[in-house]
Amino acid sequence: MAAVRVEEVLAAAEEQEAEKQRSITVEKELELEFDLGNLLALDRNPPAAAGLRGAGPRREALLRALARDNTQLLVARLWELPAERAGGAGGPLVARLPEPAFRLPREKPPPRPRPPTRWEQFARLKGIRRRKRTSLVWDEQAKEWRRRWGYRRAGGDPARAWLAEVPEGADPEEDQFARLRREKRERVARNELNRLRNLARAHRAGTAVPAAPLHPTGHQSREELGRVARVARVSTASLGRFQPRLPKEPAEPPSRSGGRKRRFEPLLGNLAAERSRQLELLRDMGSKKPVLDITRAVNKQLRQEEAEAAAAKGKKQSQRGKRGRRQQRAGRSSKKSGARRQQQQRPAGSSTGGGKRKKA
Amino acid sequence: MRPLTEAETRAVFEKLGRYIGENIQLLVDRPDGTYCFRLHRDRVYYLSEKLLKVAVSIPRDNLVALGTCFGKFTKTQKFRLSVTALDFLAPYAKYKVWVKPGSEQSFLYGNHVLKSGLGRITENTAQYQGVVVYSMADVPLGFGVAAKSTQECRKVDPMAIVVFHQADVGEYVRNEDTLA
């Protein structure tokens, strides 16, 4: 019993020892390539292809072992570097890395050259070259070399200037100190404005799309030529409004939306304006309706005719009694007018005639 | 969601005008607030400015409906009025048709109104005029188109159609899924 236990213990201890040894030494067929400046270790050994195929815990274990071994080798190399204690005796041990050998590609694109500022353009035009200025200027007052600007500058401290002459032709009541201060502020503001403008110009130049060449090269497609022709047409003082068209150029109205097909009103635009527009539209729609409604006129005529038919039936039934009364009445007004009255009421729907007999 | 274009507004107003005539002004220009029409996925919605301002912040894909749906534009850009507009049409209707209690049910199931079911009709209704259909208790049931003018209604036989059915409140139950 005791012997078995002892053997077990000894076996376990031996395994642990082997483990420790294994953890430090790594066997590789091909030596790794190291770039300690980048903390880079390149392993050109072919991996165990069979193990890496297919996902699974075995693959994970193999990859982990590979990574561990390579890291061990790298760290071993790092320990061989010349090291020193940073921050005095008690500080951490720091290895001095050599220069990186492996050239990494650029992370960001290279900076593009900025466009020249307005002054630079002018200077180039005029041929003005930059003269190197000395940093120290001889100050006559203080009899020594003083710097051109800044602390203890050559012209004397502007804050302690106690005299400001009124120049010729200036208003004697004006405060000269205030004027000097104001002018300085204006100068500073103008400089700042110009600086910002130059920056904006540089920024815009970077994002601008390169324009198509406006003079014909031999290699332009039909669409390009059309586009160029359109640009050329619009590049007049009146923006192409009075430009005669070429023989086969189609007449094209300018699209206000600049190439987009449809354009809608803004969603939450001026609601009052929208309402007034709709009311106007309603008014227009209402005004276009014809005053004479055909159907109503026809209905009126129908009603009229029905009423007459009914009246005629009534007349036939009680003809005698009525006739006598009619002849009495006809004595006053002549027979002609009676006939005319009948004729007037016959023809098609004059609204006044119909209106008198039957209410619409 | 977007405002209606000129042509679309004209189509909507024409359709509404067939039922309420010049009373559309009262819908457009209301004393108790600014109301507007908006188009969303081919449906026309009528809503107050307050609601519009809130609805603006909902993404288009997630917005289902807003305000009151008046109707929709078909694929050929014709405007169809739906029953959900009835609440706004009924108070301003110019031509009304009252239906007898016996044939209310029939109308609510989507059938046309026959002469036998006709209770009252506004005087001088023209043929093919848009009408709003009421029950005898003055409850709006839907709207339709007069198939005969008032004059002719008096003369036709009892089985003739006098009002073509366009929309009724029974659709709220029948077409629950497709109503906006």
Side-chain angles (χ1 to χ4, degrees):
Chain A
M1 279 273 204
V4 171
R5 218 176 282 153
V6 163
E7 269 173 27
E8 281 179 12
V9 169
L10 277 174
E14 203 178 309
E15 214 181 296
Q16 272 187 8
E17 277 295 317
E19 184 76 43
K20 271 202 192 139
Q21 290 296 321
R22 202 179 0 171
S23 70
I24 295 177
T25 59
V26 175
E27 286 278 322
K28 288 275 184 188
E29 286 177 8
L30 271 175
E31 278 291 319
L32 268 56
E33 293 171 17
F34 292 99
D35 178 15
L36 293 172
N38 279 324
L39 292 181
L40 176 70
L42 280 169
D43 183 4
R44 292 196 190 275
N45 291 304
L52 288 177
R53 214 172 291 143
R58 208 160 66 108
R59 183 166 179 240
E60 289 297 312
L62 275 171
L63 286 173
R64 201 183 295 274
L66 190 63
R68 198 215 71 84
D69 290 341
N70 288 339
T71 318
Q72 176 64 60
L73 288 171
L74 178 63
V75 169
R77 275 301 180 91
L78 284 175
W79 274 104
E80 291 166 12
L81 286 175
E84 62 191 14
R85 292 246 164 226
L93 193 63
V94 168
R96 188 172 303 209
L97 295 176
E99 286 296 314
F102 195 84
R103 210 166 151 213
L104 292 169
R106 283 185 76 92
E107 185 196 343
K108 293 201 167 56
R112 54 175 191 277
R114 62 174 175 80
T117 63
R118 274 177 68 89
W119 165 252
E120 281 173 3
Q121 288 171 13
F122 179 74
R124 196 184 311 148
L125 199 65
K126 289 282 191 177
I128 302 171
R129 263 181 297 179
R130 182 160 172 71
R131 251 178 306 161
K132 191 117 168 92
R133 284 174 159 193
T134 58
S135 50
L136 297 176
V137 189
W138 176 251
D139 189 0
E140 199 52 53
Q141 291 282 15
K143 299 272 194 299
E144 65 171 1
W145 288 96
R146 286 259 172 99
R147 55 187 79 182
R148 191 179 286 277
W149 50 268
Y151 183 59
R152 287 202 191 143
R153 66 187 76 155
D157 189 3
R160 292 226 251 134
W162 53 270
L163 180 72
E165 285 186 16
V166 178
E168 288 182 47
D171 179 16
E173 302 292 320
E174 194 189 357
D175 182 1
Q176 295 305 312
F177 295 108
R179 182 180 62 85
L180 288 170
R181 280 199 303 272
R182 190 184 65 237
E183 283 180 357
K184 179 163 174 81
R185 241 182 292 137
E186 282 168 9
R187 260 179 284 139
V188 167
R190 187 172 52 238
N191 278 329
E192 185 64 23
L193 179 69
N194 285 331
R195 184 182 74 88
L196 289 174
R197 269 204 215 137
N198 285 330
L199 269 182
R201 201 173 296 122
H203 189 257
R204 238 202 349 247
T207 51
V209 180
L214 285 180
H215 38 266
T217 68
H219 326 285
Q220 277 162 318
S221 68
R222 186 166 175 222
E223 290 85 25
E224 258 184 70
L225 283 173
R227 216 181 316 137
V228 168
R230 210 172 321 140
V231 169
R233 144 175 295 277
V234 178
S235 318
T236 58
S238 35
L239 299 181
R241 273 181 66 190
F242 307 110
Q243 198 73 6
R245 297 226 152 235
L246 296 172
K248 287 199 184 162
E249 208 177 346
E252 193 187 272
S255 67
R256 260 175 310 138
S257 50
R260 278 179 295 163
K261 279 188 256 178
R262 290 193 74 178
R263 204 165 64 142
F264 300 116
E265 297 292 316
L267 179 55
L268 256 186
N270 190 355
L271 286 176
E274 188 183 329
R275 193 171 51 190
S276 57
R277 244 183 301 129
Q278 284 177 344
L279 286 173
E280 253 193 62
L281 177 67
L282 278 174
R283 217 187 12 248
D284 287 340
M285 279 167 56
S287 70
K288 284 220 182 94
K289 278 210 185 86
V291 180
L292 174 64
D293 197 357
I294 307 291
T295 47
R296 288 187 60 170
V298 165
N299 283 345
K300 272 193 195 125
Q301 177 62 19
L302 282 171
R303 272 201 299 272
Q304 210 179 286
E305 284 176 2
E306 279 170 23
E308 280 175 15
K313 254 197 208 163
K315 260 191 242 169
K316 278 187 192 150
Q317 283 176 358
S318 59
Q319 220 175 29
R320 279 218 185 132
K322 274 204 176 163
R323 217 187 233 169
R325 270 181 258 141
R326 260 190 185 266
Q327 280 182 352
Q328 271 192 351
R329 268 216 311 224
R332 270 187 276 149
S333 55
S334 62
K335 245 195 171 181
K336 255 195 195 171
S337 64
R340 211 178 297 132
R341 236 192 307 141
Q342 286 236 324
Q343 266 179 14
Q344 271 176 3
Q345 282 161 1
R346 272 281 159 203
S350 63
S351 44
T352 46
K356 276 196 188 132
R357 297 225 17 196
K358 275 275 189 270
K359 195 165 179 290
Chain B
M1 183 175 27
R2 60 168 173 86
L4 300 173
T5 62
E6 174 89 17
E8 286 164 355
T9 323
R10 194 179 290 269
V12 171
F13 284 173
E14 267 176 27
K15 204 50 181 282
L16 285 176
R18 296 179 63 133
Y19 293 90
I20 59 181
E22 65 268 3
N23 291 334
I24 306 178
Q25 273 178 26
L26 298 168
L27 278 182
V28 171
D29 194 10
R30 277 169 73 142
D32 60 337
T34 318
Y35 280 71
C36 58
F37 293 93
R38 287 291 180 268
L39 189 79
H40 178 60
R41 294 206 196 135
D42 288 334
R43 286 181 200 266
V44 175
Y45 296 97
Y46 179 68
L47 63 161
S48 65
E49 175 188 0
K50 194 162 50 91
L51 194 59
L52 175 64
K53 288 201 168 131
V54 169
V56 159
S57 53
I58 303 178
R60 253 179 241 180
D61 296 334
N62 298 358
L63 186 62
V64 173
L66 58 163
T68 316
C69 175
F70 264 33
K72 64 186 236 181
F73 277 98
T74 63
K75 284 283 191 293
T76 53
Q77 298 307 314
K78 294 191 181 42
F79 182 64
R80 259 189 96 79
L81 208 54
S82 80
V83 69
T84 42
L86 186 62
D87 290 331
F88 292 95
L89 293 187
Y92 303 122
K94 294 194 80 105
Y95 298 99
K96 307 185 187 180
V97 165
W98 284 263
V99 157
K100 287 189 190 146
S103 63
E104 250 175 50
Q105 186 86 335
S106 165
F107 182 71
L108 289 177
Y109 271 109
N111 301 318
H112 304 301
V113 178
L114 307 178
K115 169 77 189 297
S116 53
L118 184 67
R120 289 193 339 242
I121 183 167
T122 324
E123 188 60 52
N124 66 21
T125 311
Q127 197 180 22
Y128 308 133
Q129 172 73 44
V131 294
V132 178
V133 174
Y134 291 81
S135 74
M136 286 318 273
D138 273 337
V139 173
L141 296 177
F143 46 86
V145 172
K148 306 258 185 281
S149 66
T150 317
Q151 308 293 324
E152 295 175 35
C153 273
R154 297 200 183 111
K155 292 190 241 176
V156 292
D157 57 303
M159 282 295 120
I161 297 176
V162 291
V163 174
F164 292 124
H165 167 281
Q166 294 244 299
D168 64 277
V169 293
E171 278 178 26
Y172 281 111
V173 175
R174 293 201 311 273
N175 303 343
E176 207 177 324
D177 304 327
T178 55
L179 271 185

